[in-house]
Amino acid sequence: MAKMQFLQLPVPPPSYFAATGNVPLAAASLASCLESKDDPVKGITASVISPEDTDSLGDIDLIDRICKEGPDFLGLSLYLWNTERSIYIANEVKKRNPEIQILVGGPEVNEDNPFVLGETGFDIAVSGEAEHNFRNLMKSLLHKESLENVENVAYRKKDGSLSAFGVPSPANFPLTDFPSPYTTGHLQVDPKRSTYLETVRGCKSQCTYCFYPKSSQSLRTLDIKETIQLISNLKNQGARELVFLDPTFNHRPGFESFLDAIAEVNADGQMTMFAELRSEGVTPKLATKLRKAGFNRIELGLQSVNEETLKRVKRYGSPNKVAEVAKMLAGEGIDLLLDLIIGLPGDTPDDVERGIHFFLEHGLGEWVQAFPLSVLPGTSMRKDAEKEGLVYMPKPPYRIIQTPTFSPEDLRDSVYFAEDLLERRLDEFPRPFLCDRVTGISDRFDWYPEDSNESHPSQVGVLEAGSRHQSIWFHPKSLSEDLKQIQTLIGKKIEREPFCTIDFVIELGNVPNANEIQSLVRYLESKRNSYLSKTLAYRGENLQHRLVLVIPEGNERLRNWCSQLDGQESFLVYETIPPSAITKLNPEVTHFYLLKGDTVTKKDWDHLKEVMDPETITFSSRALEERWCMEVLGYGEI
């Protein structure tokens, strides 16, 4: 019996304790489609690496696990946030186990994405919605048949090159053709995580920046009876929060009746729900029905206040209608996500400013999320990018770099301007992991200068396999004396686990030499070659490899040095303080603080929460850090 293993890697979060939102619905759906009760694919068993493992395991441990289990086939679901890491893992697995056949699929796998198709770590690429084609592909592989005529599939030829994709096959199969992965056991409901589900595939909208129009234009739905049966099943399994991945939730036929049916099954309010709507057609009556059904959060896309831009990108719609519906939903007690895209063709920095003012004038500023455009593979916008004069990153996050109306500085300054108006940061802050070491967990490593011999156990420990997010603490007697060795170790660590989030922490005893710090900054910037490290590069920040300097409490020379920094540095400085100093902290002084100790009184906790900027506070205690991330920063599930 052949074995197939699926790997779907998570969005790397900004904090060690933040939820990743990783629910491998795509991978589990593919595993489940092999078990169709009417026509199961014989001769193969499928499994999905659990989100608990993919959330926690570092690069080395993931590769070791796959190679040890030795599947015949490895399937990778590629998304914007995980493509580079997935392909790296595929290459490493292939080096060790060349007999494993590696398949890639997902929205990143498209004929217009030379970045993915130019990689060599996989054997087969599958484009589009995959269940139906995937079954045909696996039958051909199991029977060792030619893949030449398999629809939507490209394969590695004997000379190592990739074939052209087979004839495109439209995604028109009914959603009832294959069982839900929640019923086959390939995906488990976890009450601590959101539960993702699809009740509709396809989208009637033609937004040029979105992948869905190419993926599937025909609207296919689970009917109300089938959907309610699935929702009831999920509820019985303990689901607490349902996230509908339907491209436009209110485009499904019979939407009002659908909400009534959900409200009936969720009459006890056990579950909360999230979905994305178009404002067109939403009435006060529907807003009330959404609330009664259990929807506590809704996403609405404004994208731009320039109606000519909306026409140009085929979004259409009316900004005033979006505001009207947003206020309806807010009046029902529903929280919102209101989208504004920076850098759309035809827009200018003035349009971004008008967009933020528009939301503020309508009293909706607290829900705005404004972000730079990404020119995604498989979209009409990518096809027309050259004609539109769009310059964008060729690799994830495919972020816009320049347009005819936005310079690189305009794009950056538009984000900063929006933040000034909204009085909050829009990008996630790269929060370091500064907790104490715990025996048995490979997420913190410490280096001391006495351990300069590479054969020393502590030295080896720094370079051993770590977790997905880890910290390396350097305790030099003198940064000047140990700088070269520290930089060498940083390089080796990144080489060993290039896609782990790593905080490189240096404990300072004396004021550092500015040139020495800059040499470390430049070194880390030279390693900035992944989605996560490039996401905030325009801010001079690195979400993946963070340099953190920790100074002791009460060292006035270091405090004065820290006070002279202008806040534009590509590193963070934390001052350690005991609980007894909490009430002495001055919120008017911009410092970052590492609170030592395992306990904080309620009075001190409330002081930190109500008076201080929450992003400036972190804890050496894991329990306190996790509580702060969840309770104060809201880093739990959606």
Side-chain angles (χ1 to χ4, degrees):
M1 181 76 73
K3 294 190 299 183
M4 175 145 205
Q5 193 169 64
F6 289 93
L7 176 65
Q8 183 171 324
L9 295 171
V11 179
S15 163
Y16 181 96
F17 288 108
T20 65
N22 186 29
V23 179
L25 180 62
S29 294
L30 290 175
S32 296
C33 81
L34 298 174
E35 300 181 6
S36 169
K37 61 182 179 181
D38 295 328
D39 182 23
V41 177
K42 298 176 182 177
I44 189 168
T45 60
S47 63
V48 180
I49 298 178
S50 75
E52 289 78 15
D53 288 336
T54 55
D55 279 1
S56 61
L57 295 178
D59 299 338
I60 295 172
D61 283 341
L62 268 174
I63 294 162
D64 285 348
R65 170 178 171 157
I66 293 167
C67 291
K68 181 179 179 180
E69 294 182 0
D72 300 284
F73 304 97
L74 175 65
L76 303 170
S77 296
L78 304 189
Y79 294 89
L80 178 76
W81 54 84
N82 71 15
T83 292
E84 290 163 306
R85 189 181 184 207
S86 297
I87 289 176
Y88 169 77
I89 288 172
N91 274 291
E92 295 302 305
V93 167
K94 202 71 173 171
K95 287 176 188 175
R96 289 166 56 175
N97 285 23
E99 69 279 4
I100 296 177
Q101 292 198 64
I102 298 179
L103 296 74
V104 297
E108 292 287 292
V109 181
N110 273 283
E111 292 177 334
D112 65 353
N113 193 359
F115 160 59
V116 169
L117 299 185
E119 293 291 329
T120 59
F122 59 88
D123 301 291
I124 298 165
V126 184
S127 67
E129 280 188 48
E131 283 96 334
H132 189 267
N133 294 324
F134 177 67
R135 286 169 49 82
N136 293 335
L137 168 63
M138 294 313 301
K139 288 177 182 177
S140 296
L141 288 172
L142 290 169
H143 294 119
K144 302 187 183 306
E145 298 171 349
S146 169
L147 303 183
E148 190 172 353
N149 296 317
V150 180
E151 297 172 327
N152 288 18
V153 166
Y155 57 90
R156 192 73 57 192
K157 295 188 288 187
K158 290 182 179 180
D159 64 2
S161 64
L162 195 67
S163 75
F165 280 93
V167 176
S169 171
N172 54 13
F173 55 86
L175 299 190
T176 51
D177 276 6
F178 307 112
S180 164
Y182 292 107
T183 61
T184 62
H186 288 295
L187 191 55
Q188 304 296 322
V189 170
D190 182 348
K192 295 179 181 179
R193 294 177 182 263
S194 301
T195 300
Y196 290 8
L197 70 159
E198 286 181 308
T199 71
V200 175
R201 288 196 191 175
C203 186
K204 295 189 293 184
S205 301
Q206 296 295 310
C207 307
T208 63
Y209 50 81
C210 181
F211 172 75
Y212 248 108
K214 178 177 179 179
S215 171
S216 177
Q217 296 181 28
S218 60
L219 214 61
R220 290 163 294 134
T221 66
L222 282 176
D223 67 28
I224 292 178
K225 180 180 177 181
E226 292 160 340
T227 305
I228 293 305
Q229 185 176 352
L230 174 60
I231 291 173
S232 297
N233 181 290
L234 297 175
K235 181 181 179 182
N236 291 336
Q237 291 184 54
R240 292 292 178 267
E241 180 177 63
L242 300 185
V243 173
F244 289 86
L245 299 183
D246 307 358
T248 306
F249 189 57
N250 55 325
H251 275 184
R252 68 147 45 234
F255 183 59
E256 191 173 328
S257 299
F258 182 44
L259 292 179
D260 290 338
I262 296 175
E264 185 175 345
V265 78
N266 193 36
D268 58 2
Q270 175 180 308
M271 298 180 291
T272 59
M273 303 184 197
F274 171 86
E276 181 176 355
L277 305 181
R278 287 292 297 255
S279 58
E280 294 82 7
V282 177
T283 62
K285 181 180 179 182
L286 276 178
T288 300
K289 286 181 179 288
L290 283 161
R291 188 253 306 160
K292 288 183 176 179
F295 286 86
N296 68 333
R297 208 171 194 200
I298 293 290
E299 183 169 2
L300 292 173
L302 172 68
Q303 319 309 6
S304 173
V305 290
N306 185 330
E307 294 196 25
E308 290 304 311
T309 295
L310 293 176
K311 292 176 185 176
R312 185 167 175 174
V313 300
K314 298 185 179 180
R315 173 71 184 185
Y316 305 109
S318 161
N320 287 322
K321 179 62 176 177
V322 173
E324 176 191 341
V325 170
K327 286 186 274 191
M328 274 182 211
L329 296 169
E332 293 289 341
I334 297 173
D335 289 335
L336 304 169
L337 288 175
L338 303 173
D339 300 334
L340 193 70
I341 301 177
I342 298 172
L344 286 172
D347 258 0
T348 68
D350 287 344
D351 291 313
V352 177
E353 180 179 347
R354 289 195 304 115
I356 300 298
H357 279 298
F358 175 83
F359 281 124
L360 290 171
E361 288 161 6
H362 284 280
L364 300 168
E366 65 179 295
W367 290 303
V368 176
Q369 52 177 13
F371 46 87
L373 172 70
S374 286
V375 183
L376 302 173
T379 62
S380 296
M381 186 169 287
R382 175 169 285 215
K383 179 182 177 183
D384 296 333
E386 185 175 352
K387 182 176 70 175
E388 292 278 13
L390 307 181
V391 181
Y392 59 92
M393 296 178 182
K395 297 181 180 182
Y398 310 113
R399 182 72 51 78
I400 195 75
I401 296 172
Q402 188 170 339
T403 80
T405 52
F406 278 91
S407 68
E409 293 75 23
D410 289 334
L411 291 163
R412 179 199 63 208
D413 292 346
S414 290
V415 173
Y416 290 158
F417 185 82
E419 291 179 341
D420 288 342
L421 288 177
L422 296 170
E423 298 182 335
R424 58 185 166 86
R425 181 176 168 126
L426 292 169
D427 288 315
E428 292 176 311
F429 176 74
R431 185 176 181 81
F433 173 62
L434 303 180
C435 294
D436 292 334
R437 176 193 253 174
V438 171
T439 302
I441 302 179
S442 299
D443 56 17
R444 169 166 170 165
F445 305 92
D446 290 81
W447 174 90
Y448 295 88
E450 293 85 358
D451 307 329
S452 56
N453 187 326
E454 290 200 13
S455 64
H456 191 285
S458 179
Q459 177 82 2
V460 173
V462 169
L463 299 177
E464 70 183 17
S467 62
R468 179 190 53 79
H469 189 164
Q470 53 189 282
S471 63
I472 313 296
W473 283 68
F474 297 100
H475 307 271
K477 285 184 177 178
S478 165
L479 182 57
S480 297
E481 292 178 15
D482 298 319
L483 180 65
K484 185 176 180 180
Q485 192 169 3
I486 288 172
Q487 185 164 304
T488 298
L489 279 170
I490 289 174
K492 288 182 177 180
K493 186 65 181 180
I494 292 174
E495 184 179 352
R496 282 180 60 75
E497 301 206 272
F499 292 97
C500 289
T501 298
I502 307 176
D503 296 308
F504 296 104
V505 186
I506 300 176
E507 209 165 37
L508 295 178
N510 299 295
V511 174
N513 180 294
N515 291 331
E516 292 170 351
I517 297 298
Q518 281 308 309
S519 73
L520 289 173
V521 168
R522 286 192 297 271
Y523 186 72
L524 287 175
E525 286 178 347
S526 74
K527 303 295 183 181
R528 186 179 280 159
N529 57 4
S530 69
Y531 160 81
L532 194 57
S533 64
K534 289 181 292 189
T535 299
L536 297 184
Y538 75 99
R539 301 186 79 122
E541 297 175 355
N542 191 330
L543 265 169
Q544 183 150 21
H545 300 136
R546 296 174 266 220
L547 179 62
V548 184
L549 309 179
V550 173
I551 65 176
E553 180 204 8
N555 187 314
E556 288 305 316
R557 291 185 65 195
L558 279 168
R559 290 202 91 221
N560 290 337
W561 166 76
C562 184
S563 298
Q564 293 167 13
L565 301 175
D566 63 10
Q568 303 302 310
E569 295 78 19
S570 297
F571 56 88
L572 297 167
V573 183
Y574 280 78
E575 179 182 1
T576 59
I577 63 168
S580 59
I582 287 176
T583 54
K584 300 174 185 176
L585 298 181
N586 183 354
E588 302 300 321
V589 178
T590 305
H591 276 303
F592 287 83
Y593 300 100
L594 171 58
L595 273 62
K596 305 296 286 185
D598 295 327
T599 59
V600 173
T601 66
K602 182 180 184 305
K603 178 182 177 181
D604 287 344
W605 182 270
D606 291 342
H607 176 81
L608 291 171
K609 185 168 69 171
E610 295 164 10
V611 175
M612 302 298 294
D613 177 348
E615 293 290 8
T616 66
I617 305 297
T618 190
F619 300 84
S620 63
S621 161
R622 290 171 185 250
L624 292 175
E625 173 68 7
E626 182 173 13
R627 180 185 169 196
W628 188 261
C629 285
M630 300 302 170
E631 180 182 317
V632 180
L633 295 174
Y635 277 160
E637 293 288 338
I638 290 175

